[in-house]
Amino acid sequence: MFKANDNYLKLPGDYLFSEIASRIAAYGAQNPDKAGRVVRLGIGDVTQPLAPSIVEALHAAVDEMGDATTFRGYAPDLGYDFLRETIAECDFKSRGALVEADEVFVSDGAKSDCANIQEIFSADARIAVCDPVYPVYVDSNVMAGRTGTYDAATGLWSDVEYMPCTREGGFTPRLPDADADVSLVYLCFPNNPTGAAIAKPQLQAWVDYANEHGAVIVYDAAYEAYISDSGLPHSIYECDGARRCAIEIRSFSKNAGFTGTRLGYTVVPRDLKDARGISMHDLWARRHGTKFNGAPYIVQRAGEAVYSERGHFETREQIAYYMENARIIREGLAEAGYEVFGGVNAPYLWLAVPDGMSSWQFFDLLLETVQVVGTPGSGFGPSGEGYFRLTAFGSRESAEEAVRRIRSL
Ligand code: MLT
């Protein structure tokens, strides 16, 4: 008789956002009169339609696919050169960061890359994650059997190095102790879920740490387009030595509204080699070639349009719209006496829940009394307990309505 992968049985509960969706569905089924009133600021899903220049690029590419002379079959596994070159130029070289087009691996989104990247590291690699953290980094390593045993009382895995990100520390992690023996460090800035940003000297300290200790940083920069402080780094490759120790993952979901269109990329520099001199770039190319048949041509053309002059202008307007939502939520809740963090360089607001309540109790209170949905901080890890995440990706009306309702509590 066949046997399922035991590692999957270790995963506690459902994926966070699936759990929230089921709770909303259950609430709606029990309260049909209120179901239509629910304001959803839980999962960070965009609500603005694709920008006109992106839609035009999609239409043009669809026409090409419908014409025998311009039709394309399988895309190159690693991405079309037109997109890889545009990314290397516009996202990196223009900021003084050296990334070559053939170091950019185009994919169907940052979530898949975040989950898959661990495959090219050894089975006993010890991972370090921020706490709270985007659950995909930990869960994908659980599936790979790398995290040891789960302690339901603490919410911690025995073989994971947790780096608590607390309000006292500005929600940024401290470097692990010298004896932590960490191989793979996941960092996400601007941060999901806390909305914290990292300054260049702090990020440089991480790069120096990784180079000194032979660790790799997986840098998730999915929210870099939301940085508003001009001094903050947009890419880890703005730091000296990052090409030897860092992989960067980017998304088109949040900067251009591709959550349903699917496009992302990962940079693995050629200088990134393990202790034996093995090229992680070559391993990732090998993996991509074996397990992925390339992002669709029409979507890659849409991605290219994001970098056009019009595309840039239109997507910047969308980002400004969401950041205005962030301001409305931040200021509205702060005036009502809530302590609110984030929302300045990131589309997430991280608020301290009222004294004596847990994150899930606050979730239930908001859903049941004012029909507002957010994400309980503890869903991102034990240090998220006592906090609650709201996204700025809703419509203006939903941001204003959520503030009005929460204030009425
Ligand atoms: C979130 O809400 O944290 C994001 O939507 C997750 C994601 O981008 O996968």
Side-chain angles (χ1 to χ4, degrees):
M1 186 61 187
F2 71 86
K3 198 164 167 261
N5 182 342
D6 283 339
N7 293 330
Y8 279 66
L9 309 184
K10 297 182 196 161
L11 290 162
D14 284 335
Y15 181 60
L16 175 61
F17 295 105
S18 314
E19 166 72 24
I20 290 172
S22 354
R23 290 197 185 208
I24 302 170
Y27 176 79
Q30 282 157 17
N31 304 274
D33 53 320
K34 303 223 177 93
R37 252 178 72 80
V38 174
V39 173
R40 293 166 190 252
L41 299 181
I43 189 164
D45 194 3
V46 293
T47 50
Q48 293 285 294
L50 292 175
S53 54
I54 296 171
V55 173
E56 275 170 33
L58 281 166
H59 283 160
V62 167
D63 287 344
E64 284 184 69
M65 293 296 271
D67 179 331
T69 61
T70 47
F71 170 78
R72 312 214 181 195
Y74 288 125
D77 329 310
L78 310 183
Y80 279 104
D81 286 344
F82 65 77
L83 182 58
R84 301 175 88 192
E85 278 159 15
T86 305
I87 288 170
E89 190 54 49
C90 301
D91 283 347
F92 300 100
K93 289 182 183 162
S94 69
R95 296 194 59 86
L98 184 65
V99 168
E100 298 299 342
D102 69 357
E103 296 173 321
V104 174
F105 296 83
V106 176
S107 73
D108 65 346
K111 183 181 187 178
S112 332
D113 287 353
C114 286
N116 292 330
I117 196 71
Q118 45 78 27
E119 283 184 29
I120 61 169
F121 293 89
S122 77
D124 61 358
R126 184 173 169 82
I127 68 160
V129 294
C130 292
D131 170 23
V133 69
Y134 178 46
V136 172
Y137 316 144
V138 177
D139 287 3
S140 57
N141 279 285
V142 174
M143 292 170 178
R146 212 177 260 122
T147 55
T149 51
Y150 183 69
D151 180 344
T154 59
L156 300 175
W157 291 91
S158 60
D159 296 354
V160 173
E161 181 75 20
Y162 289 92
M163 307 181 290
C165 296
T166 60
R167 121 182 25 197
E168 295 73 32
F171 298 105
T172 51
R174 291 216 333 252
L175 297 172
D177 293 336
D179 60 358
D181 194 23
V182 158
S183 303
L184 204 51
V185 179
Y186 288 85
L187 295 180
C188 171
F189 287 104
N191 188 257
N192 176 14
T194 66
I198 194 163
K200 178 109 177 263
Q202 278 176 291
L203 188 56
Q204 182 66 56
W206 275 101
V207 169
D208 295 344
Y209 167 88
N211 277 326
E212 199 176 312
H213 292 83
V216 171
I217 298 171
V218 174
Y219 194 67
D220 179 352
Y223 301 94
E224 70 69 42
Y226 289 83
I227 292 174
S228 64
D229 292 352
S230 58
L232 296 175
H234 286 240
S235 165
I236 197 165
Y237 302 115
E238 291 173 41
C239 295
D240 295 334
R243 287 182 52 84
R244 282 182 283 119
C245 68
I247 289 172
E248 182 163 312
I249 298 176
R250 295 264 190 120
S251 169
F252 286 77
S253 289
K254 314 296 158 98
N255 64 338
F258 278 47
T259 53
T261 307
R262 307 310 304 149
L263 191 66
Y265 69 85
T266 287
V267 174
V268 188
R270 290 196 175 277
D271 301 357
L272 184 67
K273 304 212 164 120
D274 85 346
R276 297 161 293 177
I278 291 173
S279 159
M280 302 311 278
H281 175 280
D282 292 354
L283 293 195
W284 188 241
R286 184 71 175 83
R287 187 222 170 258
H288 231 50
T290 304
K291 296 198 173 185
F292 189 58
N293 253 338
Y297 173 69
I298 58 174
V299 176
Q300 294 196 50
R301 280 293 183 202
E304 182 189 30
V306 173
Y307 297 93
S308 67
E309 206 172 309
R310 261 180 71 215
H312 182 72
F313 176 77
E314 290 166 358
T315 52
R316 288 312 305 175
E317 279 196 323
Q318 294 187 338
I319 291 164
Y321 175 91
Y322 293 132
M323 288 312 277
E324 176 62 8
N325 286 350
R327 186 195 64 75
I328 289 167
I329 300 172
R330 196 180 66 244
E331 292 181 1
L333 295 184
E335 271 169 31
Y338 285 91
E339 249 188 303
V340 192
F341 305 91
V344 176
N345 292 296
Y348 293 122
L349 291 303
W350 189 239
L351 60 134
V353 305
D355 271 352
M357 285 187 111
S358 72
S359 300
W360 276 110
Q361 283 169 339
F362 191 62
F363 174 91
D364 289 336
L365 175 79
L366 288 192
L367 179 59
E368 283 159 22
T369 57
V370 290
Q371 292 79 46
V372 172
V373 173
T375 309
S378 57
F380 299 100
S383 298
E385 183 56 277
Y387 292 92
F388 196 73
R389 194 193 77 174
L390 291 170
T391 121
F393 287 124
S395 64
R396 179 64 35 80
E397 299 67 42
S398 60
E400 286 169 348
E401 184 63 12
V403 169
R404 201 183 60 72
R405 293 195 202 169
I406 297 174
R407 290 180 64 140
S408 76
L409 273 176

